[in-house]
């Protein structure tokens, strides 16, 4: 019998497995696809991700480092320039395979091409049935992403609400290294577009020889995803004249620990299946890794104390809430505000995008030097001025 079975070898599962193995737990990591596997994603890794890892990411996995952001709002462009890395651009197949190799190196047993079909938790163990055979463990971490089966199989929840899920549609456009070089320029830019989706934003991420272009929208506001993507792509000057491959789409669950239950008897959920993506920009990799590491630590404590009931595992929910759930709550409110004000973009630009404190916040949130809970106060004054302007108070109009 294993101490821990982890379902899914994305960032959440691979990180949970590595941490658990390092703390001495006998761990099995089960993945349905063959590793390395494709995962639709921008592949943007913020500097705070590297700080979470207890190993160095090989240079060859980083296709490009960006240090500045061009924020497009309508026809205006606001340049946020820094001389520090803002995001490391990777391709997920390589990144996730590397994290999985690190789990293996720490002692985890890794089984790929093994689909989990059934999970049964009882008083003595949790049993995981796969296409190949069944396995038993004291505990299970479900890290099988959006649409993975664990949450349903253990009756934690059935589905997400439409407004808590983003539909993200993305394509990789081969433009060649030279064009990528021109696109990033000496300041090393990437691009974000606001006001292009009724409840979301668009992005262009530079990679070695291509640009990853995508746009997201809350499912509750989504009408025609392909029309949304085509209209957005036409706006991006850097893509003019290039063939745009057919885009692919995937869901991002937003809102985190407060929105769905993440523990039941002998089971914890981490990563996308627990909604650990930041609700404003949809950053998920960092929170998946952090959540996976927290889950592994709770698993270690559970095994030490021989306690696997839901009441004990609630510690996990509490720790996730303290580590990032509080920030998600703030980000969720900021997102709802931004999407509600989409028709008043001129004023949003005037009071937010042009405000020095807001710019500093955005850069700090991206590079991880501040958290949403710290940004709340900095955003309060521009928000107050914005409200006064909307009410027609003359000085602020
Ligand atoms: C278009 C798009 C762009 C994005 N861009 C970014 C970005 O730039 N930066 C960022 O931080 N986040 C981004 N995200 C979010 C990010 O991709 C996710 O938050 C992250 O992948 C979640 O990791 P995870 O480990 O929870 O799940 P996943 O990475 O989805 O891994 C889950 C794993 O579980 C496996 N699995 C599923 N079912 C089973 C089963 N039955 N048995 C066994 N294995 C199973 C899957 O094959 C998969 O390997 C983006 C998302 C999308 C959709």
């Amino acid at each position: 019998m294993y101490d821990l079975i982890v379902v899914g070898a994305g960032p959440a599962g691979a990180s949970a497995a590595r941490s658990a193995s390092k703390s001495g737990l006998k761990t099995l990591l089960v993945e349905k696809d063959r590793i390395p596997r494709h995962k639709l994603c921008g592949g943007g890794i913020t500097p705070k991700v590297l700080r979470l890892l207890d190993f160095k990411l090989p240079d060859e996995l980083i296709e490009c480092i960006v240090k500045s952001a061009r924020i497009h709002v309508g026809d205006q462009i606001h340049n946020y320039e820094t001389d520090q890395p803002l995001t490391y651009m990777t391709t997920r197949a390589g990144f996730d395979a590397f994290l999985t190799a690190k789990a293996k190196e720490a002692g985890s047993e890794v089984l790929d091409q093994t689909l989990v079909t059934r999970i049964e938790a009882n008083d003595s163990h949790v049993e995981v049935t796969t296409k190949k055979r069944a396995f038993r463990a004291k505990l299970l971490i479900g890290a099988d992403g959006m649409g993975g089966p664990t949450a349903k199989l253990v009756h934690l929840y059935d589905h997400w609400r439409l407004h808590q899920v983003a539909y993200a549609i993305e394509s990789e456009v081969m433009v060649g290294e030279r064009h990528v070089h021109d696109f990033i320029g000496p300041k090393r830019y990437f691009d974000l577009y606001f006001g292009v989706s009724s409840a979301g934003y668009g992005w262009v991420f530079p990679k070695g020889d291509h640009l990853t272009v995508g746009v997201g929208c809350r499912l509750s506001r989504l009408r025609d995803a392909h029309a949304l993507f085509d209209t957005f792509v036409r706006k991006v000057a850097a893509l003019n004249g290039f063939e745009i491959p057919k885009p692919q789409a995937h869901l991002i669950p937003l809102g985190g620990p407060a929105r769905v239950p993440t523990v039941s008897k002998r089971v914890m959920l981490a990563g996308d299946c627990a909604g650990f993506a930041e609700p404003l920009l949809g950053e998920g990799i960092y929170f998946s890794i952090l959540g996976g590491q927290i889950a592994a630590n709770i698993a270690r404590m559970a095994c030490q104390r021989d306690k696997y009931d839901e009441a004990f595992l609630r510690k996990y929910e509490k720790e996730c809430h303290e580590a990032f759930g509080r920030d998600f709550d703030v980000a969720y409110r900021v997102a709802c505000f931004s999407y509600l004000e989409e028709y008043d973009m001129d004023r949003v630009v005037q009071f937010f995008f042009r405000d020095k404190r807001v710019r500093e916040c955005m850069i700090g949130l991206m590079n991880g030097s501040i958290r949403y809970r710290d940004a709340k106060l900095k955003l309060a004054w521009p928000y107050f001025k914005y409200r006064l302007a909307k009410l027609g108070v003359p000085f602020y109009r």
Side-chain angles (χ1 to χ4, degrees), residues 196-234:
V196 293
S197 161
S198 64
Y201 70 101
W203 60 90
V204 184
F205 287 176
K207 305 282 172 65
D209 55 2
H210 64 275
L211 297 173
T212 299
V213 55
V215 60
C217 180
R218 292 272 173 105
L219 264 186
S220 50
R221 298 274 198 99
L222 186 70
R223 298 294 168 260
D224 179 341
H226 283 273
L228 174 71
F229 181 79
D230 292 344
T231 311
F232 170 54
V233 163
R234 278 199 293 274

Side-chain angles (χ1 to χ4, degrees), residues 21-322:
S21 292
K22 279 186 67 184
S23 71
L25 299 192
K26 186 175 179 219
T27 305
L28 172 68
L29 175 60
V30 187
E31 164 58 47
K32 74 172 165 54
D33 289 340
R34 180 196 214 129
I35 297 170
R37 59 94 177 89
H38 166 72
K39 161 77 180 89
L40 187 76
C41 182
I45 289 176
T46 51
K48 58 187 183 290
V49 173
L50 301 195
R51 294 199 288 272
L52 270 186
L53 304 177
D54 61 342
F55 47 83
K56 189 183 173 304
L57 210 55
D59 290 345
E60 58 269 24
L61 286 181
I62 298 169
E63 297 200 24
C64 183
I65 301 176
V66 292
K67 297 184 173 173
S68 304
R70 275 182 295 248
I71 310 280
H72 301 248
V73 190
D75 295 330
Q76 300 178 29
I77 305 176
H78 302 269
N79 294 339
Y80 292 15
E81 292 174 355
T82 83
D83 51 11
Q84 300 291 323
L86 272 186
T87 305
Y88 299 87
M89 299 297 179
T90 67
T91 299
R92 284 290 300 277
F95 178 70
D96 291 15
F98 185 73
L99 295 189
T100 303
K102 283 289 174 186
K104 206 168 177 174
E105 179 194 273
S108 300
E109 208 176 303
V110 179
L111 267 186
D112 66 352
Q113 302 180 84
T114 307
L115 180 79
V116 170
T117 53
R118 192 163 161 270
I119 297 169
E120 194 72 36
N122 59 34
D123 286 342
S124 61
H125 61 267
V126 54
E127 181 157 303
V128 175
T129 308
T130 72
K131 286 269 179 207
K132 293 176 183 160
R133 51 166 284 212
F135 301 93
R136 283 183 178 182
K138 294 175 185 162
L139 277 166
L140 177 132
I141 295 177
D144 41 352
M146 183 66 181
T150 304
K152 258 190 219 162
L153 289 174
V154 300
H155 311 294
L156 263 170
Y157 62 85
D158 252 358
H159 61 275
W160 284 83
R161 297 227 186 109
L162 293 186
H163 66 276
Q164 292 172 346
V165 178
Y167 186 91
I169 179 162
E170 195 179 75
S171 179
E172 311 225 304
V173 185
M174 287 306 293
V175 296
E177 274 180 38
R178 188 169 187 138
H179 192 74
V180 172
H181 185 261
D182 293 345
F183 172 85
I184 57 179
K187 295 283 180 193
R188 307 199 68 84
Y189 278 110
F190 74 111
D191 285 12
L192 296 180
Y193 290 74
F194 293 93
V196 293
S197 161
S198 64
Y201 70 101
W203 60 90
V204 184
F205 287 176
K207 305 282 172 65
D209 55 2
H210 64 275
L211 297 173
T212 299
V213 55
V215 60
C217 180
R218 292 272 173 105
L219 264 186
S220 50
R221 298 274 198 99
L222 186 70
R223 298 294 168 260
D224 179 341
H226 283 273
L228 174 71
F229 181 79
D230 292 344
T231 311
F232 170 54
V233 163
R234 278 199 293 274
K235 262 182 117 58
V236 180
L239 300 175
N240 277 348
F242 291 100
E243 191 191 327
I244 314 290
K246 194 163 172 256
Q248 290 181 299
H250 197 71
L251 301 176
I252 313 177
L254 309 167
R259 315 280 163 204
V260 291
T262 55
V263 298
S264 67
K265 183 169 36 177
R266 294 186 183 270
V267 175
M268 291 174 271
L269 303 181
D272 270 9
C273 68
F276 291 176
E278 179 267 277
L280 181 66
L281 298 176
E283 176 182 8
I285 297 168
Y286 172 76
F287 302 100
S288 294
I289 294 175
L290 180 56
Q293 292 175 343
I294 296 174
N297 190 38
I298 300 292
R300 177 189 58 79
M301 287 162 59
C303 288
Q304 270 170 359
R305 293 174 204 185
D306 207 20
K307 272 184 172 281
Y308 311 102
D309 56 292
E310 187 177 325
F312 182 81
L313 298 182
R314 289 232 170 278
K315 247 177 152 1
Y316 170 61
E317 271 183 350
K318 277 201 199 108
E319 285 199 19
C320 288
H321 190 260
E322 188 46 42

Side-chain angles (χ1 to χ4, degrees), residues 310-371:
E310 187 177 325
F312 182 81
L313 298 182
R314 289 232 170 278
K315 247 177 152 1
Y316 170 61
E317 271 183 350
K318 277 201 199 108
E319 285 199 19
C320 288
H321 190 260
E322 188 46 42
F324 53 87
R326 286 175 55 196
D327 300 301
F328 281 12
D329 286 341
V330 178
Y332 198 80
R333 269 178 274 152
V334 176
C336 292
F337 161 77
S338 330
Y339 301 148
L340 278 178
E341 303 302 327
E342 67 181 292
Y343 300 112
D344 203 356
M345 270 297 165
D346 288 344
R347 245 196 286 246
V348 170
V349 168
Q350 183 187 347
F351 288 100
F352 291 94
F353 288 104
R354 284 211 201 111
D355 189 291
K356 194 166 161 268
R357 274 165 301 191
V358 176
R359 294 156 86 109
E360 284 166 4
C361 271
M362 284 194 69
I363 289 172
L365 288 166
M366 281 187 230
N367 70 20
S369 59
I370 55 173
R371 297 181 293 179

